[in-house]
Amino acid sequence: MACKLFFYFSISLCLFASLPSLVHMQPFSYGLDYNFYDRSCPRLPMMVRFGVWSAIRNDSRMAASLLRLHFHDCIVNGCDASVLLVDTPDFTGEQNAFPNQNSLRGYEVIDNIKADVERFCPSTVSCADILTLATREAVVLSGGPFWPVALGRRDSITASQTAANQQIPSPFEPLENITAKFTSKGLELNDVVVLSGAHTIGFAQCFTFKRRLFDFQGSGKPDPVLDSSLLSNLQTMCPNQDTSNRNLAPLDAQSTLRFDNAYYSNLVKNSGLLESDQALTGDPRTAATVNYYSTNQYAFSNDFAASMMKLGNVGVLTGKNGQIRKKCGFVN
């Protein structure tokens, strides 16, 4: 096990060295630094890597869950670990917002890593930085690209369930609405296409796409775009009854646990699971990019790394703003 981690750590260093264009191309928020913890917590990368590796070994779905957790944190008022704050009698956080309730996972993985980090580097490393690093490790361990992570984020002392309900994109929304939510965070239309590629791993609950199977846009019929073979399989997984709402279906049935470009190949074949995913092929502004990524995994990997760097810098707290939580679920 130690040998595997050492090998992976060495590979990561080589990949970092091979990505100077990414490092220089992506500006990051004032106060963030690639070497932020080099002196105060030099073992941080290894501790995060081991924590994520252990979590995925125990639960193969966890890579996708951590990636989603990070996105749901950053897209709501920035990457400040607000999504990790738990509800108390005096505080309502984001975990029970509609897009997160009974679906967002991975809190305990970040909590466990934070506990390990606190033992070696007390009151030093933010939960926001741990979540950002853990997401990168989850993608790499699933076969996806490496990207350098600038560090120095601080944790919020607030959270907003209302903001989570309003700002997290929904699979039921038109592409125009989803794009507006991205651009409000300083992201662009191409980032919508690229970051949607995260759906190359993971699962979705049936209620998020069931209307495509039985009553598309109130027609009483399935979505005519959806591939007929996939439709039949999905109707078996998700029968038209409320008891199936929480059943799971793979977002990418071709390579559910492998981070690759098959998501885009599926879209080209009208086999996207979510309505919002398949919509990318129906808009001339995004269809060409989908086609390009479907045949060029290298381009997708490079662009995904760049977009993740942009996402990780959205709305960060630095300097004296926020705090370094001792436990990720609670304000100090």
Side-chain angles (χ1 to χ4, degrees), residues 133-209:
L133 281 171
T135 301
R136 194 265 310 277
E137 302 308 323
V139 170
V140 172
L141 287 168
S142 300
F146 176 95
W147 63 92
V149 174
L151 300 168
R153 296 165 190 78
R154 289 170 66 85
D155 301 322
S156 69
I157 58 174
T158 63
S160 174
Q161 186 175 110
T162 299
N165 283 324
Q166 294 174 345
Q167 297 175 20
I168 296 173
S170 162
F172 310 112
E173 287 186 288
L175 181 59
E176 201 68 40
N177 290 18
I178 293 173
T179 301
K181 291 181 176 182
F182 273 67
T183 57
S184 72
K185 307 300 178 183
L187 301 170
E188 301 171 6
L189 178 60
N190 194 63
D191 295 309
V192 176
V193 184
V194 175
L195 294 176
S196 294
H199 290 167
T200 184
I201 55 175
F203 293 78
Q205 297 185 45
C206 288
F207 80 91
T208 62
F209 58 86

Side-chain angles (χ1 to χ4, degrees), residues 31-45 47-48 114 117-118 121-133 149-155 317-318 323-325:
L32 297 185
D33 192 299
Y34 294 112
N35 305 311
F36 193 85
Y37 298 112
D38 281 5
R39 292 188 177 183
S40 60
C41 195
R43 297 178 63 179
L44 175 65
M47 286 188 282
V48 174
K114 173 64 170 175
V117 171
E118 281 294 305
C121 317
S123 302
T124 300
V125 181
S126 68
C127 300
D129 275 344
I130 290 173
L131 177 55
T132 305
L133 281 171
V149 174
L151 300 168
R153 296 165 190 78
R154 289 170 66 85
D155 301 322
L317 302 174
T318 60
Q323 64 179 208
I324 305 297
R325 293 184 211 142

Side-chain angles (χ1 to χ4, degrees), residues 273-289:
L273 184 66
L274 303 180
E275 193 175 329
S276 56
D277 286 336
Q278 195 61 58
L280 295 174
T281 62
D283 190 308
R285 299 172 302 164
T286 54
T289 307

Side-chain angles (χ1 to χ4, degrees), residues 73 78-85 127-128 131 154-156 325 328:
D73 181 41
C79 307
D80 59 3
S82 59
V83 74
L84 303 179
L85 291 171
C127 300
L131 177 55
R154 289 170 66 85
D155 301 322
S156 69
R325 293 184 211 142
C328 291

Side-chain angles (χ1 to χ4, degrees), residues 138-145 257-260 297 301:
V139 170
V140 172
L141 287 168
S142 300
L257 301 177
R258 187 172 67 251
F259 198 99
D260 56 23
Q297 181 164 328
S301 294

Side-chain angles (χ1 to χ4, degrees), residues 284-325:
R285 299 172 302 164
T286 54
T289 307
V290 169
N291 284 321
Y292 178 56
Y293 289 151
S294 73
T295 59
N296 195 326
Q297 181 164 328
Y298 180 79
F300 165 57
S301 294
N302 279 353
D303 290 351
F304 187 83
S307 287
M308 286 300 292
M309 291 175 70
K310 290 171 64 176
L311 177 67
N313 294 336
V314 169
V316 298
L317 302 174
T318 60
K320 295 184 178 180
N321 296 316
Q323 64 179 208
I324 305 297
R325 293 184 211 142

